[in-house]
Amino acid sequence: MAEERGIDWSSLWKKEDWWAFWLGMLLFFLCLAAAYGTDLMGWVVKANVWVDPAKAMAPSSANYEFLGPIGAWIVTYIVLLILTSIGAAAMGWKVGRFAAGFTVIFFLTWICWVIGHNAWIAATKPEAYNLPWSLHMTGEAGYIVALILGLLIGNFAKGFAEQLKEAAKPEWFIKTAIVLLGAVVGLKAPSVPPEILYNFLFRGLCAIVEAYLLYWALVYWVARRYFGLSREWAAPLASGISICGVSAAIATGGAIRARPVVPVMVASLVIVFAVVELLFIPFLAVETLWNQPLVAGAWMGLAVKTDGAAAASGEIVDALITGLHPEYAALEGWILNAAIITKIFIDIFIGVWAFILAVIWVYYIERKPGEKVEKLEIWYRFPKFVIGYFLTFLIILYLASGIAGSVPPDQVSQALAPMKLAVSSEMNGFRRIFFALTFFSIGLISDFSTLRREGIGRLALVYLICLFGFIIWIGLLISWLFFHDVHLLFLK
């Protein structure tokens, strides 16, 4: 196992997790300059709810109004193309194909994002736009439009989709967005008493116990007992279904030294089923749990697999509940954060779980004399982008708390205005773009014919039975136990 591995310093610039960290932190610090009088990133384009197409988008900051909507879009595209292409080159991807694919993906995603902001679809108060009605879906409807278009291309224009896949990197996009999300949450945190914030984080940490102690054991047992799968197949499948999708399946496959085909096939299942979950679970949560918004958010983190789909589901639930129910407007961002916190804590422990499985396999199942498992394996499996999330959260929390504490209470809002421009407008603008790119990319790489073509019907049946038979419902129960009525603490 890991006893032959030294510290691979090249992973700092060759791994997707680290590049999510570097890209997210770079954008974070560049945007943060606006809080101190130097607006470097106010050109990032944003979409507005619109009736008149001319007002559909604009720069995030008034300091860059001279660019106009098209100018802001072009600058945003060029800067993100350069930054992501640098990352692609460092990670050894085909830069030319990546740049071409990213250009198309960015263009199509932005069209979907703008369509989703049309007032007939997005407006929560249609009368404000002189409309008799709307679908009340908020601007986040653009995520669904992007997902649907991605699915259509991925399944019905496969040649075209294949040309774009070098740049369809939903895990990279969503992890970068999550790094920036830490700052967005950090700006809101000073308004929440510390004991409530600690309570929130503690509940998220406790809730993940079910992913490891309940989910994994049940799936492994069902796969072995009722479907006769070997340990080599049952362990990665249990991790893929119960913990963190693709990352967990790959980590588990490596830990038990499964053949390469095993985690690859499990990962393909994870992606397909994540899309299925994304298409209905968030809307079920909004319909049934709108009066328990943090339960709904946590449920997304515990039930929906892959970082991208879980975060995307949380974003939809957050937008719809706060948009349709103004009494919960103060919870904007916290619902999404309930999903992210539970998912991040699960991610953090993937390394620990892979280490535990490696120990079990080496010492008890395979029983290979003389072989040992190094504790450093935990670090290899640790999701590095999580460091960025907590860094941006803590930096903004520290800075915003310092500003708020240095002025009289009636001047706090004015004193924090530059910080809000940096975080709520600019960092959040980049975060939403990466979220939208994630939705489109998830759809693009989700080829539903994969299940039939790879001949993994029995694995798919285990996944289907376990996911919809008990995993999402246990996740709902745990979310309810830990987050029931917690939203009332935030609304006091």
Side-chain angles (χ1 to χ4, degrees), residues 154-155 158 268 272 446-456:
N155 287 274
K158 295 182 180 180
S268 66
V272 169
S446 300
D447 183 352
F448 287 109
S449 67
T450 298
L451 304 185
R452 174 180 51 80
R453 184 174 63 249
E454 298 291 348
I456 50 179

Side-chain angles (χ1 to χ4, degrees), residues 285-415:
V286 171
E287 285 296 316
T288 58
L289 296 170
W290 62 269
N291 59 345
Q292 289 291 336
L294 295 182
V295 174
W299 188 27
M300 298 305 98
L302 291 171
V304 181
K305 305 308 160 188
T306 82
D307 292 325
S313 298
E315 178 86 349
I316 293 170
V317 171
D318 192 309
L320 289 178
I321 290 180
T322 56
L324 295 174
H325 303 280
E327 64 271 29
Y328 296 126
L331 291 170
E332 182 180 0
W334 287 108
I335 301 171
L336 169 60
N337 200 47
I340 295 295
I341 283 294
T342 51
K343 199 71 178 72
I344 277 181
F345 280 134
I346 289 173
D347 286 354
I348 288 173
F349 281 90
I350 287 176
V352 177
W353 192 247
F355 175 77
I356 291 172
L357 290 178
V359 170
I360 292 172
W361 250 252
V362 167
Y363 295 120
Y364 298 101
I365 293 180
E366 295 177 347
R367 297 179 180 175
K368 295 183 177 180
E371 190 169 4
K372 63 179 181 178
V373 181
E374 296 290 342
K375 294 181 178 63
L376 194 60
E377 193 71 18
I378 296 174
W379 170 249
Y380 288 126
R381 306 294 183 183
F382 184 85
K384 311 307 187 296
F385 76 96
V386 171
I387 300 171
Y389 172 87
F390 284 111
L391 267 181
T392 58
F393 171 79
L394 292 172
I395 291 171
I396 292 299
L397 175 61
Y398 174 77
L399 294 176
S401 297
I403 293 172
S406 65
V407 299
D410 61 338
Q411 297 178 21
V412 169
S413 180
Q414 181 179 356

Side-chain angles (χ1 to χ4, degrees), residues 30-31 34 38-46 58-65 67 72 76 421 425-426 430:
L30 289 174
C31 291
T38 305
D39 190 0
L40 300 176
M41 309 296 279
W43 41 259
V44 62
V45 68
K46 66 175 181 177
S60 291
S61 170
N63 295 327
Y64 288 86
E65 284 184 354
L67 287 175
T76 302
L421 170 64
S425 295
E426 298 178 10
F430 282 109

Side-chain angles (χ1 to χ4, degrees), residues 107-244:
F107 179 74
L108 293 178
T109 297
W110 192 259
I111 289 177
C112 296
W113 187 232
V114 169
I115 290 173
H117 277 75
N118 181 265
W120 289 96
I121 299 172
T124 56
K125 296 181 178 179
E127 63 276 8
Y129 298 89
N130 296 318
L131 302 179
W133 61 271
S134 76
L135 295 179
H136 291 80
M137 291 187 68
T138 77
E140 276 68 13
Y143 295 140
I144 302 301
V145 178
L147 176 65
I148 292 173
L149 180 60
L151 285 171
L152 290 174
I153 294 173
N155 287 274
F156 298 103
K158 295 182 180 180
F160 182 43
E162 192 62 34
Q163 295 176 18
L164 301 180
K165 282 185 179 178
E166 188 73 16
K169 305 294 182 181
E171 293 297 308
W172 188 23
F173 296 149
I174 198 62
K175 289 172 182 177
T176 303
I178 288 173
V179 172
L180 293 170
L181 178 64
V184 177
V185 176
L187 186 62
K188 296 175 181 290
S191 63
V192 178
E195 61 272 16
I196 296 179
L197 183 61
Y198 299 149
N199 184 300
F200 183 86
L201 294 173
F202 177 72
R203 288 170 186 269
L205 179 61
C206 290
I208 70 162
V209 173
E210 49 106 12
Y212 294 93
L213 299 186
L214 294 179
Y215 281 176
W216 198 93
L218 282 172
V219 174
Y220 185 83
W221 178 70
V222 168
R224 295 277 289 151
R225 175 72 181 272
Y226 294 103
F227 290 87
L229 296 181
S230 67
R231 292 188 178 96
E232 181 188 37
W233 283 101
L237 183 62
S239 294
I241 300 175
S242 63
I243 300 174
C244 185

